[in-house]
Amino acid sequence: MSLITLEGKRGLVVGIANDSSIAYGCAKAFRALGAELAVTYLNAKAERHVKPLADELEASLFLPLDVREEGELEAVFAAIQEKWGKLDFVLHSIAFAPKEDLHARVVDASREGFLLAMDVSCHSFVRMAKLAEPLMTDGGCLQTVSFYGGEKVVEHYNLMGPVKAALESVTRYMAAELGTKGIRVHALSPGPLATRAASGIDRFDELMARVTERAPTHHLVTIEDVGAYAAFLASDAAKSLTGSVAFIDGGYNIVG
């Protein structure tokens, strides 16, 4: 048997919006290595886009999840408890900030917009970890998705920079807290990708062009690249790795 396998493992994937989503690239890799998946969708409008992908992934559970709605996250984990009784990994790939706050200077961000961005993009990962912990009886892996703008100032990334910085810090603290239970925590930090979420960032096409020019590999990464690394981290081959911010960006982070 290959060292890198997810046979017999069960995972929750949160954040698939369409076939360009980072979460979808990860889900494909998880499934290809043998994992059984639970997949969520944001709302009724999103369901028609996500359902064919969940079917392709042979998802055992397909559930609605808007972390802003009271009780929906708890309902997802209750369904997992009932269906599987355990959980091996979670991928958290959601982020949100109101457009007026995202396109403004950080210093001009509204209190409401800042709190909402932090709640959806960061604290929801903490909530998932708390709900996943009792289900990860044999250890497990929690993963979220960050971006280089959480470490360095990236033009036009604005409010999401501080939010991702908080998310990366949360990753480290939860890794320290959960490590004795064999639960590992990682943040994936891909280079810029043309996802639906990225389309909300002003002049994102300029950032992609700049990264292509400056990254040592001189090309953008794909959702498949991100998925391959996420699948490795979820496997027992990575059982001694935790607390990392894993750059999957063609080396852009080393040149700035």
Side-chain angles (χ1 to χ4, degrees):
M1 181 182 291
S2 169
L3 181 64
I4 302 177
T5 179
L6 295 176
E7 289 288 344
K9 293 189 183 295
R10 292 162 170 168
L12 169 63
V13 176
V14 177
I16 297 178
N18 54 40
D19 62 3
S20 297
S21 298
I22 290 171
Y24 176 58
C26 294
K28 286 194 298 180
F30 296 147
R31 185 69 188 126
L33 289 182
E36 188 176 357
L37 300 177
V39 170
T40 68
Y41 59 94
L42 179 61
N43 51 32
K45 183 179 179 182
E47 182 178 7
R48 68 177 183 270
H49 300 291
V50 184
K51 182 64 163 64
L53 304 178
D55 289 344
E56 174 196 310
L57 295 164
E58 301 176 297
S60 298
L61 290 164
F62 183 60
L63 302 161
L65 177 58
D66 183 338
V67 295
R68 297 169 295 183
E69 296 295 326
E70 194 70 31
E72 284 201 3
L73 184 58
E74 290 75 12
V76 167
F77 279 86
I80 290 171
Q81 169 72 61
E82 182 178 353
K83 177 78 173 178
W84 292 334
K86 62 170 292 188
L87 190 63
D88 297 293
F89 62 89
V90 173
L91 176 76
H92 167 280
S93 184
I94 56 175
F96 176 77
K99 186 175 180 180
E100 58 271 22
D101 293 290
L102 181 60
H103 288 181
R105 301 183 305 168
V106 170
V107 75
D108 294 325
S110 70
R111 182 178 186 227
E112 295 75 14
F114 190 96
L115 292 176
L116 181 57
M118 194 68 77
D119 182 47
V120 173
S121 312
C122 180
H123 190 254
S124 63
F125 186 44
V126 177
R127 292 171 61 201
M128 287 182 199
K130 183 175 178 63
L131 291 165
E133 182 182 3
L135 293 172
M136 291 185 164
T137 52
D138 298 320
C141 184
L142 304 167
Q143 299 182 37
T144 189
V145 178
S146 188
F147 182 63
Y148 186 57
E151 181 176 316
K152 300 288 186 181
V153 174
V154 172
E155 195 173 6
H156 305 300
Y157 201 56
N158 302 342
L159 176 59
M160 289 309 299
V163 171
K164 293 297 190 183
L167 183 64
E168 292 179 8
S169 184
V170 156
T171 295
R172 289 186 285 271
Y173 275 87
M174 294 199 307
E177 292 169 352
L178 299 173
T180 56
K181 295 187 175 184
I183 299 173
R184 299 168 287 113
V185 192
H186 296 283
L188 306 170
S189 186
L193 286 153
T195 62
R196 191 178 76 173
S199 67
I201 299 170
D202 194 28
R203 296 164 70 176
F204 195 73
D205 55 337
E206 294 179 14
L207 174 60
M208 290 194 294
R210 185 164 66 251
V211 169
T212 302
E213 179 184 353
R214 299 205 62 205
T217 59
H218 295 293
H219 63 73
L220 296 174
V221 299
T222 66
I223 61 172
E224 289 78 17
D225 295 330
V226 182
Y229 202 84
F232 162 69
L233 290 177
S235 76
D236 291 342
K239 65 183 179 181
S240 294
L241 305 180
T242 193
S244 72
V245 176
F247 289 103
I248 310 152
D249 62 357
Y252 182 71
N253 70 94
I254 67 172
V255 298

